[in-house]
Amino acid sequence: MPVLVEAGWGGLVQYPWTITWTDITTYVDTVRGVSVSRGASDELSETQPGTATLVLDNSDGRFTPGNGASPYYPYVRRNAPIRVSVAVMPTVSGAAPYPMAMLGDDFDDGRIDTTKWPTNVGGAFETSAGYLRIPMAPGIDTNFTSARTWKLQGSQLTAKLCTVPAVNGSSNVAASMWVTSTTSGTRIGWRYDALTGVLAAMSQVGFADATPTNLTYSAIDHAWLRVRESGGTVYWETSGDGYDWTVRRSLATPAWIGSQTHAVDFPTTRTGGTAGFIEWDLVGAEVRPRFWGTVNEFPVSWKGLASQTVVSATDLFKWLNRLPVLKSALGEEILHPDVPGVTEFPGCYFPLTEPSGAASAGDVSGAGCGSLAVTQVSAGGALDFGSDGLDGTGDTSATFTPASASAGRYLTGDLGAAFQANSGPYAAVIEFWVKTTTTGRAILGLFEPSLDHQIVLGISAGGTLTIESTDSGGTLTVNDTLRAIADGAWHHILVDTNLSVTHYTDGASPGVSAFTPAMSGLRTLHVGGYRGGRLFNGQLAHVAVTFASASIASTIAPLHYQAATTGFSGEAANVRVQRLARYAGLSSVTVWGSTFDPVASQSTGGSSVVARMREVESTESGRLFAERDYYGLAFQSRDLRYNPTPANDAFTIAYADLETDSVELADDDQKLVNSIEASRPGGATQRVTAPASILAFGVYDPGALSILKTSDNSVLDAAYWRVYRYANPGPELREVPIEAYSMGTYLDILDADISSAFTVTSMPPQAPASSIRCTVEGYTETIRDRGHLIQFHTSAAFSDSVWVLDDAVYSVLGATTRLAY
């Protein structure tokens, strides 16, 4: 049972698909083992950040930060990506021919198993790192071949491709992984050509395949190779981690696969040049990820001259918890546009939320623009920050009070060379919020220093939005949009300069576009006036420019309007979590389950993204946690746990197979709740009680429950769900330790994760039932060489049972007639 530990030296966790992983398993102390903690202690506690701890042999200093002699220098540093997996090796059982999935070798005992691999032409050997190395000398074709005792039909061949051969001046360098027929030249598998860098999925007859699937080899995407046969189809698959597989080719199963026994061959060929090698590992391994995160530190310690590094790592939540607090929902939407198929990025963003008395306004886009300075024109007038802003955002605004159209203050600034360079290749999307009753003024303008290109957004004498532009330095051409905005109310304006200008007011387009020539070289921004005149009178907020490779107005205009006015109140909880993840820079949230209630607004800023997600998690009675196989989040709905059945159990285990010293049946008041007061933002405060429980045990009130529901009835449903589940909790197993490595259901146990159910059978006679079903809330584990102790933190699966009409189990009056929530 090899543990597999890999480090992503130099990789960035926010771009996990670009990480090249390095196997460092050979340096792991597998006697002490790798410890992993995940999930929560019980169903009423929040899931905690996952952690991993391991000890690395640092005898040669390779894990010493700042050591220039380290092969990993300079990337031995905090926040280095790390992942831990278990590679479960198959065992052979039954009589030959055996399913090919039973062919396994981890190449870590220092000698070739000649019974398993009787043909070794070329002197292949096992390295100290535990790889199979096949030398490739010029003019010598090699074979490393198994006995012919295997069957691919209904089975698979898997291997990790650790090191591909270098060209080294050769004219022909190739290495392959084949399942071979009894007919020479008829075979199926993968072939790598070092000269072209092509990895080919092939089904050869007479040593040829006229229609292979050719892939440009990637050490990231093609680290693992597999050939699999199922239901009359052969699949060629690749994987970056040995767990998540991508089908690269499929083909109707050749007849010989069903009629013959097969051998596995890893042949090589090299013509000319100098010698090299290819390395393989973990043939037949079933990989199960246990941890994905980043290293907290690389502390180096010594015992005498022996050096070691005790590494601790934390999952994605560490990275999330470091992020700055969120801005308002509007601010986050401006900073994180997301239009599929379009490249977009911030040009500048001036929220105008500075405190009263500020002399300038800052850009928060991170694009490197300068600030906007308060600029005086003639005498008089005022410009102040800190005014009341949009009600739904909690943000303030800037108030412009000129003495006249030509006397007062406005904001001016140089947006910088980067902004200017992007103006032209990308269309500028300009937006802001405006509140005024004064007509005939300019709101803002962008221009090229030479004035060849200018665009000005203003208010006509009739109070409508106007768009003015020129691309020749001449007179501005005025386009009246006929949209009234000078009515004393806040309005959202968005203008997309994608050649034929599209404008949106309050999230809607009037269906009229104004032709504006392509703008390029824009660099200077004036807000609250334009070039010393037409000074604006009113309030402005959230001035932003976003660059895009195509028109994005129809997507983002309604989103930005909703963000400020409703805070997306009423959207489903899973959609809200995905939205918050996008604000954090995460592109992937796995959603489990189907019952997701609408949630209330979270439009104001000031909280962390994790805190906001936890609010949604609590509102949903769901589960939020980091994935253990990649850089992403999982969000589970409460209905994922409804009515667990034996058919859906992750595994079943007899009590006698547990580590019995730690098994306890709990029956206490830790979870008891029989009275609860619940409320929602802007809604009623309501109390739910369980009188029979109060009579029997007294009042157990966990404190006020405030959740983001959108109706009082939903709040009441959530309160009833909590009280009815825990008014009289039954006895339960809360800790279930298993020495999993020795179990025949090892893979099933490894597949169990948060919210999985399993059943412990053949309980001792003192137990309340012969079988007890548990729900996994979390676990701690220690993975050692030929040992894997997992201690599951569990709750009673029965607490998640809900009423099913006329069901023998789930419609027992007074026992299992709890209505689903």
Side-chain angles (χ1 to χ4, degrees):
M1 183 279 302
V3 62
L4 180 59
V5 180
E6 297 166 293
W9 304 119
L12 301 175
V13 293
Q14 59 267 44
Y15 303 109
W17 55 90
T18 66
I19 296 175
T20 300
W21 295 92
T22 300
D23 186 347
I24 60 172
T25 307
T26 189
Y27 302 98
V28 175
D29 185 340
T30 57
V31 175
R32 291 194 235 184
V34 178
S35 298
V36 174
S37 177
R38 177 172 172 78
S41 59
D42 59 69
E43 74 270 37
L44 299 181
S45 302
E46 288 183 349
T47 56
Q48 298 301 304
T51 62
T53 305
L54 58 150
V55 179
L56 299 173
D57 179 0
N58 192 40
S59 298
D60 61 0
R62 66 179 53 228
F63 299 112
T64 300
N67 179 12
S70 168
Y72 314 134
Y73 178 83
Y75 300 117
V76 180
R77 60 192 184 192
R78 68 189 71 85
N79 295 324
I82 191 169
R83 65 186 185 187
V84 178
S85 304
V86 170
V88 181
M89 302 307 299
T91 56
V92 178
S93 61
Y98 308 105
M100 191 164 286
M102 289 184 181
L103 172 59
D105 202 329
D106 55 21
F107 305 110
D108 66 354
D109 60 0
R111 61 183 181 82
I112 298 297
D113 185 338
T114 56
T115 301
K116 191 175 293 181
W117 308 100
T119 302
N120 181 7
V121 177
F125 63 95
E126 295 184 3
T127 69
S128 59
Y131 299 157
L132 170 69
R133 177 174 293 185
I134 304 176
M136 300 176 65
I140 298 177
D141 294 344
T142 73
N143 293 91
F144 186 82
T145 312
S146 75
R148 188 172 292 280
T149 54
W150 310 98
K151 292 277 288 187
L152 181 61
Q153 188 174 36
S155 195
Q156 62 189 32
L157 169 65
T158 305
K160 183 182 181 186
L161 178 53
C162 303
T163 308
V164 296
V167 175
N168 291 349
S170 301
S171 60
N172 175 35
V173 183
S176 306
M177 179 181 84
W178 298 114
V179 176
T180 65
S181 164
T182 55
T183 302
S184 179
T186 298
R187 52 192 182 176
I188 199 164
W190 290 94
R191 181 180 186 274
Y192 173 71
D193 187 324
L195 270 70
T196 62
V198 168
L199 180 68
M202 307 185 79
S203 176
Q204 291 189 345
V205 176
F207 297 102
D209 182 351
T211 58
T213 295
N214 293 324
L215 308 173
T216 299
Y217 171 72
S218 163
I220 296 173
D221 299 326
H222 308 144
W224 291 77
L225 305 178
R226 184 164 76 181
V227 179
R228 177 171 60 90
E229 199 282 336
S230 177
T233 303
V234 174
Y235 300 92
W236 288 257
E237 297 163 309
T238 65
S239 174
D241 61 2
Y243 179 66
D244 289 311
W245 294 88
T246 300
V247 175
R248 302 297 185 176
R249 183 185 182 185
S250 62
L251 187 73
T253 303
W256 62 268
I257 288 180
S259 62
Q260 301 176 8
T261 56
H262 314 125
V264 172
D265 190 17
F266 293 91
T268 71
T269 185
R270 177 184 290 274
T271 303
T274 58
F277 60 87
I278 186 171
E279 291 180 324
W280 299 90
D281 196 11
L282 297 172
V283 172
E286 287 274 3
V287 175
R288 293 296 185 270
R290 308 310 295 168
F291 177 83
W292 204 116
T294 57
V295 175
N296 300 323
E297 59 175 340
F298 285 94
V300 177
S301 61
W302 289 267
K303 188 173 182 180
L305 295 178
S307 176
Q308 66 178 22
T309 301
V310 182
V311 170
S312 65
T314 310
D315 69 15
L316 171 60
F317 273 97
K318 176 187 176 181
W319 186 82
L320 290 176
N321 282 319
R322 290 202 314 268
L323 297 178
V325 296
L326 292 173
K327 300 184 183 304
S328 64
L330 172 60
E332 294 296 337
E333 287 293 329
I334 291 172
L335 290 172
H336 301 95
D338 182 32
V339 182
V342 178
T343 299
E344 68 271 304
F345 52 92
C348 65
Y349 176 30
F350 298 93
L352 305 183
T353 54
E354 281 74 14
S356 179
S360 59
D363 165 53
V364 298
S365 71
C369 297
S371 62
L372 299 178
V374 175
T375 303
Q376 180 72 51
V377 180
S378 297
L383 194 171
D384 198 16
F385 297 95
S387 306
D388 290 342
L390 304 168
D391 290 340
T393 65
D395 295 330
T396 58
S397 65
T399 299
F400 299 76
T401 313
S404 68
S406 58
R409 296 179 177 183
Y410 72 124
L411 296 170
T412 63
D414 181 349
L415 300 183
F419 186 99
Q420 185 176 26
N422 288 322
S423 176
Y426 297 94
V429 180
I430 307 166
E431 65 177 302
F432 55 87
W433 285 78
V434 58
K435 181 180 180 181
T436 185
T437 57
T438 304
T439 62
R441 304 294 175 94
I443 300 171
L444 62 81
L446 278 162
F447 60 93
E448 185 181 10
S450 66
L451 299 181
D452 280 348
H453 295 90
Q454 305 174 58
I455 183 166
V456 182
L457 306 178
I459 307 169
S460 71
T464 57
L465 174 69
T466 61
I467 303 173
E468 308 169 48
S469 63
T470 180
D471 69 344
S472 60
T475 303
L476 294 172
T477 300
V478 180
N479 291 283
D480 193 333
T481 68
L482 306 179
R483 296 298 299 266
I485 59 172
D487 57 4
W490 280 107
H491 291 286
H492 178 231
I493 307 299
L494 185 144
V495 175
D496 188 340
T497 67
N498 194 40
L499 293 183
S500 183
V501 171
T502 303
H503 68 279
Y504 284 72
T505 301
D506 297 339
S509 172
V512 177
S513 296
F515 176 77
T516 297
M519 294 285 103
S520 65
L522 301 177
R523 177 163 178 162
T524 307
L525 173 65
H526 287 180
V527 175
Y530 187 62
R531 299 181 61 213
R534 292 189 287 167
L535 299 180
F536 174 77
N537 184 16
Q539 291 175 258
L540 291 173
H542 299 283
V543 174
V545 178
T546 301
F547 289 113
S549 60
S551 180
I552 61 175
S554 62
T555 299
I556 69 171
L559 285 177
H560 293 189
Y561 184 69
Q562 290 175 48
T565 56
T566 71
F568 303 108
S569 179
E571 71 181 348
N574 59 314
V575 176
R576 176 65 56 79
V577 169
Q578 291 170 316
R579 183 182 302 282
L580 292 169
R582 174 161 56 86
Y583 296 165
L586 290 175
S587 60
S588 179
V589 178
T590 304
V591 174
W592 299 90
S594 57
T595 300
F596 294 100
D597 282 359
V599 291
S601 168
Q602 293 174 299
S603 60
T604 58
S607 294
S608 71
V609 68
V610 173
R612 287 287 164 84
M613 288 180 174
R614 292 298 189 193
E615 289 176 343
V616 179
E617 177 189 29
S618 174
T619 297
E620 253 319 279
S621 296
R623 269 293 188 239
L624 176 75
F625 51 90
E627 295 281 12
R628 60 186 177 183
D629 62 321
Y630 71 101
Y631 180 76
L633 290 174
F635 183 53
Q636 297 176 341
S637 71
R638 57 186 177 274
D639 73 317
L640 189 70
R641 299 179 173 214
Y642 287 171
N643 297 348
T645 63
N648 294 326
D649 281 356
F651 61 92
T652 299
I653 189 167
Y655 170 79
D657 292 325
L658 302 178
E659 291 289 323
T660 56
D661 289 347
S662 301
V663 177
E664 292 184 0
L665 190 72
D667 184 24
D668 52 31
D669 61 358
Q670 176 181 319
K671 301 178 183 179
L672 200 155
V673 175
N674 53 29
S675 176
I676 193 167
E677 190 174 274
S679 63
R680 67 183 179 92
T685 298
Q686 305 171 88
R687 179 170 292 278
V688 171
T689 62
S693 175
I694 292 174
L695 180 63
F697 309 116
V699 175
Y700 280 78
D701 189 330
L705 177 66
S706 180
I707 50 181
L708 299 176
K709 296 295 187 182
T710 56
S711 74
D712 292 338
N713 283 340
S714 294
V715 173
L716 203 59
D717 289 342
Y720 272 118
W721 176 250
R722 178 76 175 269
V723 169
Y724 282 6
R725 291 172 77 200
Y726 300 111
N728 186 14
E732 63 181 1
L733 295 176
R734 291 184 185 160
E735 298 291 333
V736 181
I738 304 173
E739 182 50 68
Y741 173 69
S742 59
M743 298 300 300
T745 54
Y746 186 29
L747 284 171
D748 296 328
I749 295 171
L750 292 176
D751 287 336
D753 202 355
I754 297 168
S755 295
S756 296
F758 65 88
T759 299
V760 181
T761 63
S762 304
M763 291 292 296
Q766 299 85 359
S770 61
S771 295
I772 298 180
R773 181 168 290 117
C774 307
T775 299
V776 176
E777 304 299 343
Y779 57 81
T780 57
E781 62 183 331
T782 302
I783 311 165
R784 296 186 176 92
D785 185 27
R786 304 188 184 282
H788 192 167
L789 178 64
I790 306 177
Q791 179 147 340
F792 288 105
H793 313 314
T794 60
S795 61
F798 181 79
S799 65
D800 294 299
S801 64
V802 299
W803 178 56
V804 179
L805 182 64
D806 293 332
D807 186 275
V809 176
Y810 296 109
S811 63
V812 180
L813 187 63
T816 58
T817 52
R818 183 188 300 122
L819 293 177
Y821 151 63

